[in-house]
Amino acid sequence: MNRVRTGVDYETPRSWRQPRIPRLPVQLLLGVVAVSAFGSAWLLRDGASASANPATEDTEAIVDAAGSQLAAPLNTDTMTIPVDAVINDRGRETEPVVEVAAAGSDPLKTVAVSSTPQSAASVEADAVQTAPGDDSETPDEDVVDAIAKQIDDKPDQKDLHLPSGLRLKSSVVLVVDQKTNEVLASQNADAVQPIASLTKLMTALVVTDAKQPLDEVIEITSDDIDHIKHSYSRLTPGLKFTRRELLLLALMSSENRAASALARHYPGGTPAFVRAMNARAKSLGMAHTEYHDSNGLSSQNVSTAHDLVRLVDAAYKVPLIRDFSTHVEQTVKPGRRSMHFVSSNRLVRANNDWRIGLQKTGYTTEAGRCLVMQATVKGRPLVMVLLDSDGKMTRFADAQRVRSWVERGSSSTSLASSSKSSSRHRRGRARSSS
């Protein structure tokens, strides 16, 4: 009953009861904590304004001295630098010692600045990286100069020469009269960039140059699977096609595994095939073109619009390539079931009056949507190169715009002056690295 009223258990021995914490010591402890926190805030305020305090100039001098000693040869493992004036936590001047670890043979070394006691103003000097021997300019200036040099060395991407009345949406445009080599329209035609499946035109050239049996049966294997872009293909491992069928599917439907299998069954395998591709490009004068695979999935397969005109001209001279690239559809039977394929070019599939002699489409994220064509417009054989188009239909719409522009007779006022200007640009520009 007494425990209920008073809260004290009189029946429990005093030695068993929990001792009470005296209130006065606790209050004193809390007061000390509060004073310490206030003092720390005051010191932080002083540290924040240390840049306006003349005393901090001495600390910066210490760091500079440390950097200059690192630039000189070191004979000892550790050296000391006297500090004339460093403000400690209480505002008094002391003479601590700054220890700088020897840099040794390492050109970049962290300079550890230690003082006892350490002031808030010297916190920034605790981790200073010094590049010995570089007194001329700061690293930031080096970076800026390097970027500026890259911009100066980069080919002009704003080489715009589209004639008035022709508005195209592809980033790279080149329209050339195949008979006279007259440039009718040009835009960024010297830009070196990925060409995606336009690569397969060169693949077809190398295959036909090798004169391997077109009826030879080739099996698709796991080596033909795309591990770069993970693109979809209906040519599953185990299916067998003739070399003729694979060449047709590579040109008409842009089948990546077909192009890979053709390269793999070249004498010497795929590495020899890629070497043959680059050698053929060099023989055609395609100075800014480079190949790394046979299907164009590699972004390192690069070219220019001018080089691609040369490729189209060479491929157009091979009747088999002309026929296969403009094929509308084909049914093959590599196994028990038949497979139907169609052209990747909408202009070829559509029921229209286009006179297309050769074509090839291409697409990767890096290259954008691309199209090269040889077509006869108003009795005039033209080679069209349209690269880096955004939308799915843009390249085909641009081809239609070029055709309409030529049919209107606007091309009679061709780019004579612009063509000469473009030629001067090409002669004066060094080959860009890819």
Side-chain angles (χ1 to χ4, degrees), residues 116-182:
T116 306
Q118 183 181 19
S119 67
S122 63
V123 172
E124 217 174 324
D126 287 344
V128 178
Q129 292 187 348
T130 304
D134 188 11
D135 299 328
S136 58
E137 54 187 0
T138 64
D140 288 342
E141 293 173 346
D142 291 338
V143 173
V144 171
D145 290 343
I147 294 175
K149 185 177 184 303
Q150 290 181 15
I151 295 175
D152 293 338
D153 294 343
K154 189 175 181 180
D156 186 9
Q157 299 293 318
K158 301 297 183 181
D159 188 19
L160 306 179
H161 296 294
L162 287 183
S164 60
L166 182 61
R167 295 292 178 265
L168 304 180
K169 298 183 179 180
S170 299
S171 298
V172 176
V173 176
L174 184 60
V175 181
V176 179
D177 187 307
Q178 191 179 20
K179 185 178 295 185
T180 64
N181 291 327
E182 180 184 4

Side-chain angles (χ1 to χ4, degrees), residues 115-420:
S115 61
T116 306
Q118 183 181 19
S119 67
S122 63
V123 172
E124 217 174 324
D126 287 344
V128 178
Q129 292 187 348
T130 304
D134 188 11
D135 299 328
S136 58
E137 54 187 0
T138 64
D140 288 342
E141 293 173 346
D142 291 338
V143 173
V144 171
D145 290 343
I147 294 175
K149 185 177 184 303
Q150 290 181 15
I151 295 175
D152 293 338
D153 294 343
K154 189 175 181 180
D156 186 9
Q157 299 293 318
K158 301 297 183 181
D159 188 19
L160 306 179
H161 296 294
L162 287 183
S164 60
L166 182 61
R167 295 292 178 265
L168 304 180
K169 298 183 179 180
S170 299
S171 298
V172 176
V173 176
L174 184 60
V175 181
V176 179
D177 187 307
Q178 191 179 20
K179 185 178 295 185
T180 64
N181 291 327
E182 180 184 4
V183 176
L184 305 183
S186 174
Q187 176 174 280
N188 299 325
D190 292 321
V192 179
Q193 65 176 47
I195 57 174
S197 287
L198 303 184
T199 297
K200 295 184 177 72
L201 281 180
M202 180 59 76
T203 299
L205 269 181
V206 174
V207 170
T208 54
D209 287 346
K211 300 185 183 304
Q212 293 177 276
L214 295 178
D215 294 331
E216 180 182 352
V217 177
I218 297 175
E219 181 178 353
I220 302 297
T221 68
S222 58
D223 294 332
D224 301 319
I225 297 177
D226 167 27
H227 295 290
I228 300 177
K229 305 293 186 183
H230 305 284
S231 57
Y232 171 76
S233 175
R234 297 167 62 191
L235 308 189
T236 57
L239 293 181
K240 297 180 180 180
F241 301 85
T242 64
R243 181 175 279 108
R244 182 190 304 271
E245 290 172 336
L246 291 177
L247 184 58
L248 171 64
L249 297 180
L251 291 173
M252 178 185 70
S253 302
S254 201
E255 263 290 347
N256 294 318
R257 293 183 187 178
S260 177
L262 289 171
R264 192 165 46 81
H265 282 264
Y266 185 81
T270 301
F273 190 88
V274 174
R275 288 195 296 269
M277 294 174 69
N278 286 300
R280 191 71 162 92
K282 185 176 181 181
S283 70
L284 293 174
M286 301 170 64
H288 302 283
T289 300
E290 187 173 352
Y291 296 103
H292 286 259
D293 62 27
S294 61
N295 47 38
L297 292 170
S298 172
S299 59
Q300 299 181 66
N301 287 16
V302 296
S303 187
T304 67
H306 284 289
D307 282 2
L308 290 174
V309 168
R310 296 175 181 268
L311 177 59
V312 171
D313 279 335
Y316 184 78
K317 296 176 182 178
V318 182
L320 188 64
I321 298 179
R322 290 204 309 266
D323 181 27
F324 282 1
S325 70
T326 56
H327 224 66
V328 178
E329 57 185 350
Q330 183 68 34
T331 299
V332 296
K333 192 174 182 180
R336 297 179 180 179
R337 302 176 59 182
S338 298
M339 305 176 68
H340 188 72
F341 294 87
V342 297
S343 173
S344 60
N345 191 328
R346 294 175 179 267
L347 299 179
V348 172
R349 298 199 311 265
N351 185 14
N352 53 44
D353 57 349
W354 269 92
R355 296 178 57 190
I356 301 174
L358 180 141
Q359 69 81 33
K360 188 69 194 76
T361 61
Y363 170 72
T364 61
T365 303
E366 297 85 356
R369 300 186 184 275
C370 307
L371 173 66
V372 295
M373 285 201 317
Q374 189 282 345
T376 302
V377 180
K378 203 176 181 180
R380 193 174 191 178
L382 303 178
V383 175
M384 304 181 191
V385 178
L386 303 167
L387 308 180
D388 191 17
S389 300
D390 292 332
K392 292 183 179 180
M393 298 297 295
T394 301
R395 49 188 167 172
F396 304 121
D398 277 354
Q400 185 62 52
R401 294 184 186 102
V402 171
R403 176 185 173 179
S404 300
W405 175 71
V406 173
E407 289 177 340
R408 290 196 306 267
S410 303
S411 61
S412 59
T413 58
S414 60
L415 300 176
S417 59
S418 297
S419 177
K420 294 178 181 178

